[in-house]
Amino acid sequence: MVGELVGHGEADCLESDREALLDFKGGLEDHHPGLLSWTGRNCCQWWGIHCDNDTGGVTHVDLHNPHPEILYDVSFSRYGLWNLRGMIRPSLTKLKSLKYLDLSFNTFRGIEIPKFFGSLHNLQYLNLSNAGFCGPIPSSLGNLSSLRYLDLRSNNFYSKVPHWLVNVSSLRTIDISFSGLHGRIPHSLADIPNLEILRLSANDLSASSSQLLRGRWEKIQILELGMNRIQGKLPTSIGNMTSLTYLDLSDNDIEGGIPRSIGKLCDLKYFLVSDNNLTGTLPESLEESQYCVSSSPLTSLQYMDLSNNQLSGRLPEFLSQLENLVELMLNNNKLHGPVVDSLYLLQKLKKLDLGKNRLNGTLPKIIGQLSELSILDIGSNCLGGVVTERHFLKHAKLERLDLSFNSLKLDVGLNWTPPFQLRFLELSSCHLGSSFPSWLKSQKNIEVLSLSNASISGPVPHWFWEISPSLNFLNFSLNQLEGQLPSLFKVNGTNVTIDFSFNLFEGPIPLPIGDTRVLDLCNNKFSGTIPENISDWLPDLSFLSLSGNQINGGIPTSIGKMQSLLVINLSSNKLTGTIPPSIGNCSRLNVLDLSKNSLSGNIPSRLGQLSFLQTLHLSENKLSGHIPSSFQNLSDLVTLDLGSNKLRGKVPRWIGECFQNLMILCLRSNELFGQLPSTLSNLSSLHLLDLAENELNGTIPASFGDFKPMTRMQNNLEYLFYGFSGSSYYQENMVVITKGQPLRYTKTLSLVISLDLSGNNLSGDFPVEITKLLNLMVLNLSRNHISGHIPINISKLEQLSSLDLSSNLLSGPIPESLSLLSFLGNLNLSSNSFSGKIPYTGHMTTFDASSFAGNPRLCGAPLDVRCTNETDDDDDSDNEWFLGGSFIDNWFYLSVGLGFAAGLLVPFLVMAVRKSWSDAYFGLVDKVAETLTFLKHKRAKHTRSPGPR
């Protein structure tokens, strides 16, 4: 085999070739083990050299690194000498018979591919992959008219696909994947007459899929274009690429559906179109080709991956006809309907992944007949029903089982011994019964075990701690497990995650012995102190959460030695003492949450060394002193929560100058004094400002109307997750006071826009600039000394859901424009000096009297105080129909209506009978008319501005 330690060929090599090779060697760093054999007269016997048996001319130079793993694994450093380095000299061009050149998996340290390679006119095979070349691909390679194989993958060219490739008609294989190419894929590549293999994956190439796949591609067998920017639909003409065996279009922008014409691809073995934007349903049936040996379509198909798309509809029946299918991946789509029974016909199937869809119904028992199955993933669907032992009857080769996040109930016997030995088992949100599953005792190879929210209660049996020597992920969260855990237990896996959160465990804190990276014990009943030597047991820990327990004592200073920590969450415990300054040594820390404890003393200035800190919660403690000026260095902060402590001093001006990423600032319930710094308006990312319950004075700066996120209308949900360690992370949370009640926000926190300055000594007029905060949802200025009027244009705050201006000195009328705030759910204007009638119309009618109480000059509904005109109207309410402002007009029209009947007839009869009756009749008419005129005049007077009586 070319590339072994000895050369090939029986003839002596040409002296000119020998001299050329020695000159080539002179440009390389001369410590390569293979080059040690380059001695003697016959170069045909040198390492990596092959000669023509007749002429002695060198035909093959194969100097590829036989140990390429050293490029990726430092543990193979003993093979480092096999890496060729140095310069490539043009003496190679003197090898006139050279047909084969392989310099792959070496380290040429960023040099360009030599242009003189284009002079190797007899070259048929050129492999420069993984060799550290950079710069443009030389156009001189277009002169290699005999070249059949060109492999340039995994270099750093950062250039376009060479157009000269189409001129090398002899090419059968082109591989320039993972090489930083950009621009468009030339459609002319399809015109290379003998091209069989084209690999351009993992670049930044664009193309129209419909045009690209319409090309001739007469002999193409392998087409790898994944991880690029190819757009468009799969054309029906794809069915004309009849030689195709491997098609990879994954991770592009392919849209539309799967054409039925793919059924005509008789030899297709790999169909990979994952991570695109495919939509629509899978075709119920596929087209057939008269040239296929089998009457069924796609019978050669072994691997189908359509995962991570937007496909909908049911699983089509044609899937059961793919008799040679080995892997079927349809996960992370929008498929619905049942898991079809006919899948059991796929007897060669090793991997079935239908997870993260909307499949419903039950899991068919006949799936237990798939004896070759090693991976079964139906997690995150809408499946229900019971899963029994029959579902796994012939699954002796099963290594991964995921039934999680369905509504499945696992019903197996107490003495069941499964036929499989699993490595990955995920049963989260399945119902496993009340006690710990005893059948797990038989599983000796478990690496990942997730039983979160599985309705398990009771203690964890002792045998479990010896279950598997390779366990590296253990999740028992959200169950009712109880009792004590071993204070020390051994884990033998690497990068181990332990999550026992949200259970009823008690006793001392359990510590895993081994390579643990995540330890989450939050929301249990653990008690006692944090071990002083925790850094000795968990030196490489990156995620530590002990929140929501009953832990007391102090925070050990040794925690500062755990310099891999990204998250420290010790909130909601009974910790006392001071914050150890040594935490400032945890230089990678993203999250520090010590809130809701009884910590005292000053905040250590060394916390200002945590330059990667994104969220800091020290609220609800007994901390005193000033806000450390060293916090100016925490430029990555998104949340700063120091509320509910005993901090004194002024709000530092530098807060508005140093935190361009700050979204949440909470300093409420401290002893801060002085004026509000106008520089706070420079916080260009601020969503939530809470300075309530302090001793702040002065006016509200006009610049507070310039908080950018509060002025822009936006509804983009951004999950505030920090400190990712594997699948574990810290989820930001914050309490916002609305309606006088605390409400904790988590996932939707980024949508909350709030300004709370309540409970201070602020004065001056209501700042009209606040009406520029168009995205504001919560505004609380209550319990201050703010005067003036509510501006009419407060109606511009259309997103406002809570407005509290109570207990101030505000006066004047309540603007009617408040009724336009349709999202307003909480309104408190009580205890001010508002006057006039409450504009109780529209949305304002949803608020009761408590929203307006304590304003003596207010009148009208919903208060019991009636306005003046309302009182007069009420006195005459019994005759309102009679004394209405338009009654005279109504009476007039009534008279006209009756005039032709009674109006003429009755007076005539009255006067005809007796003159005294006629006098009385007309006297009554005059009196009624006079009375109506007087009442109408009186009513007009009372339509002027109302006021309290």
Side-chain angles (χ1 to χ4, degrees):
M1 177 180 175
V2 175
E4 298 295 335
L5 286 176
V6 294
H8 296 266
E10 298 178 357
D12 291 341
C13 74
L14 299 175
E15 180 62 21
S16 60
D17 285 2
R18 177 179 175 275
E19 291 177 357
L21 288 173
L22 289 175
D23 183 74
F24 168 72
K25 175 186 175 183
L28 304 174
E29 296 182 10
D30 192 10
H31 48 63
H32 192 283
L35 297 182
L36 295 177
S37 71
W38 284 28
T39 59
R41 304 297 303 175
N42 191 0
C43 65
C44 296
Q45 295 180 355
W46 293 354
W47 179 82
I49 305 302
H50 187 91
C51 299
D52 185 279
N53 289 336
D54 297 327
T55 66
V58 173
T59 58
H60 289 62
V61 175
D62 186 354
L63 303 182
H64 78 275
N65 185 350
H67 301 288
E69 59 268 24
I70 66 171
L71 298 176
Y72 311 109
D73 193 336
V74 294
S75 64
F76 288 93
S77 57
R78 58 197 172 104
Y79 294 127
L81 295 178
W82 290 94
N83 241 345
L84 280 178
R85 299 177 179 87
M87 299 300 295
I88 301 174
R89 291 185 174 177
S91 51
L92 280 178
T93 60
K94 297 180 180 180
L95 304 176
K96 302 302 182 182
S97 300
L98 191 64
K99 298 179 180 179
Y100 187 108
L101 178 60
D102 190 344
L103 301 177
S104 61
F105 289 97
N106 286 293
T107 309
F108 288 106
R109 296 179 179 172
I111 66 172
E112 295 185 7
I113 296 175
K115 294 179 181 179
F116 60 75
F117 278 7
S119 300
L120 303 172
H121 296 297
N122 292 315
L123 204 62
Q124 299 177 8
Y125 182 102
L126 178 59
N127 190 346
L128 304 178
S129 63
N130 291 277
F133 291 107
C134 70
I137 301 171
S139 59
S140 60
L141 296 183
N143 299 325
L144 302 177
S145 57
S146 299
L147 195 64
R148 296 184 177 185
Y149 184 97
L150 177 62
D151 190 349
L152 304 178
R153 73 182 184 275
S154 299
N155 285 289
N156 297 297
F157 298 125
Y158 297 103
S159 59
K160 296 183 178 182
V161 177
H163 285 273
W164 51 259
L165 288 170
V166 71
N167 299 323
V168 186
S169 59
S170 57
L171 276 171
R172 286 175 167 77
T173 297
I174 300 172
D175 190 344
I176 323 180
S177 53
F178 294 90
S179 293
L181 298 179
H182 61 268
R184 296 189 66 80
I185 300 175
H187 298 159
S188 57
L189 292 179
D191 297 327
I192 301 176
N194 297 303
L195 191 63
E196 297 174 351
I197 299 173
L198 177 62
R199 295 187 170 108
L200 297 175
S201 297
N203 286 291
D204 190 28
L205 297 169
S206 61
S208 165
S209 58
S210 57
Q211 295 180 11
L212 185 65
L213 299 177
R214 281 196 188 110
R216 292 167 58 189
W217 299 114
E218 292 179 354
K219 296 183 179 180
I220 197 75
Q221 298 176 16
I222 297 176
L223 185 58
E224 294 184 23
L225 303 175
M227 292 185 282
N228 280 290
R229 293 189 293 113
I230 299 172
Q231 296 178 321
K233 298 181 179 181
L234 294 176
T236 56
S237 58
I238 196 174
N240 299 329
M241 302 170 66
T242 54
S243 298
L244 206 59
T245 62
Y246 191 111
L247 177 62
D248 182 2
L249 296 172
S250 60
D251 200 1
N252 278 286
D253 296 308
I254 309 296
E255 58 187 12
I258 305 294
R260 295 180 62 246
S261 59
I262 64 166
K264 298 162 65 176
L265 303 179
C266 311
D267 298 323
L268 191 65
K269 294 181 179 179
Y270 290 79
F271 184 51
L272 313 176
V273 200
S274 66
D275 298 276
N276 278 284
N277 296 309
L278 294 174
T279 56
T281 61
L282 291 169
E284 285 296 323
S285 61
L286 301 177
E287 290 184 22
E288 300 177 6
S289 172
Q290 58 181 335
Y291 302 107
C292 294
V293 175
S294 172
S295 59
S296 300
L298 290 181
T299 53
S300 298
L301 196 65
Q302 297 179 12
Y303 300 87
M304 177 185 278
D305 188 355
L306 303 178
S307 61
N308 300 306
N309 280 286
Q310 303 291 322
L311 294 169
S312 57
R314 296 171 175 262
L315 296 175
E317 286 294 334
F318 83 80
L319 292 177
S320 61
Q321 301 173 13
L322 308 178
E323 56 190 33
N324 289 305
L325 203 62
V326 175
E327 294 188 5
L328 176 59
M329 288 163 283
L330 299 175
N331 52 295
N332 204 12
N333 278 284
K334 297 179 180 179
L335 299 171
H336 64 267
V339 179
V340 291
D341 291 5
S342 56
L343 287 179
Y344 89 94
L345 295 172
L346 305 178
Q347 286 298 306
K348 295 183 180 179
L349 200 63
K350 294 182 178 180
K351 180 176 181 179
L352 176 60
D353 192 345
L354 304 176
K356 297 182 181 178
N357 278 287
R358 300 171 183 176
L359 299 172
N360 50 32
T362 60
L363 184 65
K365 293 179 181 178
I366 202 167
I367 207 167
Q369 300 295 319
L370 297 174
S371 58
E372 297 295 317
L373 206 61
S374 62
I375 296 176
L376 174 59
D377 187 344
I378 58 167
S380 300
N381 277 286
C382 304
L383 297 169
V386 179
V387 177
T388 67
E389 299 173 18
R390 288 186 58 189
H391 285 87
F392 312 108
L393 191 61
K394 295 184 179 180
H395 288 175
K397 298 181 180 180
L398 197 65
E399 295 184 351
R400 177 168 184 165
L401 175 63
D402 188 348
L403 307 179
S404 61
F405 302 108
N406 284 284
S407 297
L408 297 169
K409 179 181 180 181
L410 188 63
D411 186 8
V412 296
L414 291 176
N415 299 318
W416 180 51
T417 301
F420 46 68
Q421 281 292 323
L422 295 174
R423 294 172 55 217
F424 302 88
L425 176 59
E426 300 182 53
L427 300 178
S428 295
S429 297
C430 291
H431 184 82
L432 302 186
S434 58
S435 59
F436 198 87
S438 58
W439 58 269
L440 284 177
K441 191 174 183 179
S442 66
Q443 302 301 299
K444 304 300 182 183
N445 300 324
I446 290 285
E447 297 176 22
V448 171
L449 178 59
S450 183
L451 305 181
S452 174
N453 192 30
S455 305
I456 310 172
S457 59
V460 177
H462 295 293
W463 54 258
F464 175 77
W465 306 108
E466 304 295 331
I467 185 175
S468 174
S470 54
L471 189 66
N472 57 42
F473 186 91
L474 179 58
N475 187 350
F476 286 167
S477 65
L478 296 164
N479 283 291
Q480 297 292 314
L481 293 168
E482 58 188 24
Q484 291 193 14
L485 298 176
S487 57
L488 296 172
F489 60 93
K490 192 173 183 180
V491 290
N492 295 316
T494 57
N495 299 327
V496 176
T497 290
I498 304 291
D499 187 350
F500 294 156
S501 62
F502 293 93
N503 277 284
L504 302 173
F505 292 122
E506 56 189 13
I509 298 170
L511 294 180
I513 306 172
D515 185 19
T516 305
R517 300 300 169 92
V518 173
L519 180 60
D520 191 347
L521 306 177
C522 74
N523 294 286
N524 279 279
K525 297 180 179 180
F526 292 115
S527 57
T529 60
I530 302 173
E532 181 61 41
N533 60 347
I534 187 173
S535 60
D536 295 335
W537 297 112
L538 303 169
D540 298 317
L541 196 70
S542 60
F543 187 101
L544 175 63
S545 179
L546 305 177
S547 66
N549 282 285
Q550 301 169 14
I551 300 169
N552 54 31
I555 300 173
T557 57
S558 66
I559 203 168
K561 299 178 182 179
M562 302 166 69
Q563 296 189 17
S564 296
L565 278 170
L566 300 176
V567 173
I568 299 176
N569 186 359
L570 307 180
S571 62
S572 300
N573 278 288
K574 300 178 180 179
L575 296 171
T576 56
T578 60
I579 299 174
S582 61
I583 291 181
N585 298 330
C586 300
S587 57
R588 298 179 60 198
L589 203 63
N590 297 152
V591 176
L592 178 59
D593 191 345
L594 306 179
S595 61
K596 295 186 177 180
N597 281 286
S598 296
L599 299 170
S600 57
N602 294 342
I603 299 175
S605 61
R606 285 174 59 185
L607 295 186
Q609 300 173 186
L610 302 173
S611 57
F612 293 106
L613 200 66
Q614 293 178 288
T615 178
L616 175 61
H617 289 271
L618 302 179
S619 59
E620 297 188 54
N621 279 287
K622 300 176 182 178
L623 300 171
S624 55
H626 295 74
I627 300 173
S629 60
S630 63
F631 277 17
Q632 296 179 71
N633 301 320
L634 305 180
S635 58
D636 284 348
L637 267 186
V638 179
T639 297
L640 177 59
D641 179 12
L642 306 179
S644 300
N645 279 288
K646 299 178 181 179
L647 299 175
R648 290 191 58 78
K650 296 182 177 181
V651 178
R653 291 181 57 84
W654 49 258
I655 288 182
E657 299 167 353
C658 301
F659 302 132
Q660 294 306 305
N661 298 315
L662 198 68
M663 291 179 63
I664 299 169
L665 175 60
C666 179
L667 303 177
R668 71 175 293 123
S669 300
N670 278 286
E671 299 172 8
L672 302 174
F673 56 83
Q675 297 188 359
L676 292 170
S678 60
T679 55
L680 292 181
S681 63
N682 295 328
L683 296 172
S684 57
S685 301
L686 197 66
H687 283 215
L688 193 155
L689 176 61
D690 189 348
L691 303 178
E693 310 295 342
N694 279 286
E695 299 171 12
L696 301 170
N697 55 34
T699 60
I700 299 174
S703 61
F704 272 35
D706 298 329
F707 292 115
K708 289 183 180 178
M710 298 187 185
T711 60
R712 296 191 299 262
M713 298 296 292
Q714 56 185 22
N715 294 302
N716 297 326
L717 180 60
E718 177 183 357
Y719 291 126
L720 303 179
F721 299 154
Y722 307 115
F724 279 88
S725 298
S727 61
S728 299
Y729 54 85
Y730 176 90
Q731 179 173 290
E732 187 59 276
N733 66 97
M734 196 68 199
V735 171
V736 179
I737 306 296
T738 57
K739 300 183 181 180
Q741 299 296 322
L743 182 61
R744 184 170 296 277
Y745 288 87
T746 53
K747 289 184 178 180
T748 59
L749 179 58
S750 66
L751 297 178
V752 178
I753 309 294
S754 176
L755 177 59
D756 192 344
L757 305 177
S758 61
N760 282 285
N761 295 314
L762 300 172
S763 58
D765 286 349
F766 186 100
V768 68
E769 292 82 7
I770 285 181
T771 60
K772 295 192 296 183
L773 305 180
L774 304 183
N775 208 28
L776 196 62
M777 297 171 59
V778 177
L779 176 59
N780 192 345
L781 304 180
S782 64
R783 291 172 291 118
N784 280 287
H785 307 293
I786 298 171
S787 56
H789 297 66
I790 299 177
I792 295 176
N793 61 351
I794 197 169
S795 59
K796 293 166 60 178
L797 305 182
E798 295 179 355
Q799 304 300 312
L800 208 59
S801 62
S802 179
L803 175 62
D804 192 346
L805 304 178
S806 62
S807 300
N808 276 288
L809 303 175
L810 295 167
S811 59
I814 298 174
E816 293 186 10
S817 58
L818 273 179
S819 63
L820 301 176
L821 300 178
S822 56
F823 289 130
L824 199 61
N826 175 59
L827 175 65
N828 192 348
L829 304 179
S830 64
S831 301
N832 278 283
S833 298
F834 293 116
S835 61
K837 185 177 181 180
I838 298 173
Y840 202 61
T841 60
H843 191 68
M844 292 286 284
T845 61
T846 61
F847 304 114
D848 59 25
S850 62
S851 297
F852 309 98
N855 289 277
R857 299 179 62 193
L858 278 180
C859 66
L863 298 177
D864 291 334
V865 181
R866 294 180 174 85
C867 299
T868 304
N869 69 311
E870 292 179 332
T871 303
D872 291 338
D873 289 347
D874 288 344
D875 292 341
D876 299 321
S877 59
D878 292 340
N879 297 314
E880 184 66 32
W881 69 273
F882 185 76
L883 301 178
S886 61
F887 175 75
I888 294 179
D889 294 332
N890 294 337
W891 182 87
F892 171 77
Y893 292 123
L894 179 61
S895 300
V896 172
L898 297 176
F900 293 98
L904 293 177
L905 180 59
V906 171
F908 177 79
L909 292 175
V910 169
M911 289 182 291
V913 174
R914 195 165 182 176
K915 182 178 184 299
S916 61
W917 290 3
S918 67
D919 292 339
Y921 170 80
F922 287 109
L924 177 61
V925 171
D926 290 339
K927 187 175 182 180
V928 169
E930 181 181 356
T931 302
L932 293 177
T933 302
F934 170 79
L935 290 175
K936 185 173 183 180
H937 176 70
K938 179 181 178 182
R939 179 179 179 85
K941 290 174 61 178
H942 288 297
T943 58
R944 298 170 185 172
S945 299
R949 195 168 184 180

Coordinates of all heavy atoms in Angstrom, one line a residue, residues 21 82 89 187 194 210 233 249 319 330 462 528 663 726 768 871 936 941:
L21 N 14.0 14.5 -5.6 CA 13.4 14.2 -4.3 C 14.3 14.7 -3.1 O 13.8 15.1 -2.1 CB 13.2 12.7 -4.2 CG 12.1 12.1 -5.1 CD1 12.1 10.6 -5.0 CD2 10.8 12.6 -4.6
W82 N 5.5 12.8 12.6 CA 5.0 12.4 11.3 C 4.3 13.5 10.5 O 3.9 13.4 9.4 CB 3.9 11.3 11.4 CG 4.5 10.0 11.9 CD1 4.7 9.5 13.2 CD2 5.2 9.0 11.0 NE1 5.3 8.3 13.2 CE2 5.6 7.9 11.9 CE3 5.4 8.9 9.7 CZ2 6.3 6.8 11.4 CZ3 6.0 7.7 9.2 CH2 6.5 6.7 10.0
R89 N 9.4 22.6 -2.5 CA 10.3 23.2 -3.5 C 9.8 22.7 -4.9 O 9.3 21.6 -5.1 CB 11.7 22.7 -3.2 CG 12.3 23.3 -2.0 CD 13.8 23.0 -1.9 NE 14.4 23.7 -0.7 CZ 15.7 23.5 -0.4 NH1 16.4 22.6 -1.0 NH2 16.2 24.2 0.6
H187 N -23.0 26.6 -12.2 CA -23.8 25.6 -12.8 C -23.1 24.7 -13.8 O -23.4 23.6 -14.1 CB -25.1 26.2 -13.4 CG -25.9 26.9 -12.4 ND1 -26.8 27.9 -12.8 CD2 -26.0 26.8 -11.1 CE1 -27.4 28.3 -11.7 NE2 -26.9 27.7 -10.6
N194 N -17.2 13.5 -17.0 CA -16.9 12.3 -16.3 C -17.1 12.4 -14.8 O -16.7 11.5 -14.0 CB -15.5 11.8 -16.6 CG -15.4 11.4 -18.1 OD1 -16.1 10.6 -18.6 ND2 -14.4 12.1 -18.8
S210 N -33.2 24.7 -7.6 CA -33.9 24.2 -8.8 C -33.0 24.3 -10.1 O -33.1 23.4 -10.9 CB -35.2 25.1 -9.0 OG -34.8 26.4 -9.1
K233 N -36.5 25.2 -4.2 CA -37.2 24.0 -4.0 C -36.4 22.8 -4.7 O -35.5 23.0 -5.5 CB -38.6 24.0 -4.6 CG -39.5 25.1 -3.9 CD -40.8 25.1 -4.5 CE -41.7 26.1 -3.8 NZ -43.1 26.1 -4.4
L249 N -28.0 17.6 1.0 CA -28.3 19.0 0.9 C -28.6 19.6 2.3 O -29.3 20.6 2.4 CB -29.5 19.2 0.0 CG -29.3 18.8 -1.5 CD1 -30.6 18.8 -2.2 CD2 -28.3 19.7 -2.1
L319 N -43.0 4.4 3.4 CA -41.8 4.2 4.3 C -41.6 2.7 4.5 O -40.5 2.2 4.6 CB -42.0 5.0 5.6 CG -42.0 6.5 5.5 CD1 -42.2 7.1 6.9 CD2 -40.6 7.0 4.9
L330 N -36.8 11.5 11.1 CA -37.8 12.5 10.8 C -38.1 13.4 12.0 O -39.1 14.1 12.0 CB -39.1 11.8 10.4 CG -39.0 10.9 9.1 CD1 -40.3 10.1 8.9 CD2 -38.7 11.7 7.9
H462 N -30.2 1.4 47.5 CA -28.7 1.5 47.7 C -28.0 0.9 46.5 O -26.9 1.3 46.1 CB -28.4 0.7 49.0 CG -28.9 1.3 50.2 ND1 -28.4 2.5 50.7 CD2 -29.8 0.9 51.1 CE1 -29.0 2.8 51.8 NE2 -29.9 1.9 52.1
G528 N -27.8 21.6 56.9 CA -26.4 21.6 57.3 C -25.7 22.7 56.6 O -26.2 23.6 56.0
M663 N -30.0 45.1 31.3 CA -31.4 45.1 31.0 C -32.2 45.3 32.3 O -33.3 45.9 32.3 CB -31.8 43.8 30.4 CG -31.3 43.6 29.0 SD -31.9 42.0 28.3 CE -33.7 42.2 28.3
G726 N -23.4 22.0 29.4 CA -24.2 20.9 28.8 C -25.6 21.3 28.7 O -25.9 22.4 28.0
V768 N -43.4 65.0 31.9 CA -44.1 64.8 30.6 C -43.3 63.9 29.7 O -43.8 63.2 28.8 CB -44.5 66.1 30.0 CG1 -43.3 66.8 29.5 CG2 -45.5 65.8 28.8
T871 N -77.0 65.8 40.5 CA -77.9 65.9 41.6 C -79.3 66.5 41.2 O -80.3 66.0 41.5 CB -77.3 66.7 42.8 OG1 -76.1 66.2 43.2 CG2 -78.3 66.8 43.9
K936 N -87.5 74.2 30.3 CA -86.4 74.1 29.3 C -85.3 75.1 29.5 O -84.1 74.8 29.4 CB -87.0 74.2 27.9 CG -86.0 74.0 26.8 CD -86.6 74.0 25.4 CE -85.5 73.6 24.3 NZ -86.1 73.6 23.0
K941 N -79.5 76.1 31.8 CA -78.5 76.7 32.7 C -77.7 75.7 33.4 O -76.5 75.9 33.7 CB -79.3 77.5 33.8 CG -80.0 78.7 33.2 CD -80.8 79.4 34.3 CE -80.0 79.8 35.5 NZ -80.8 80.5 36.5

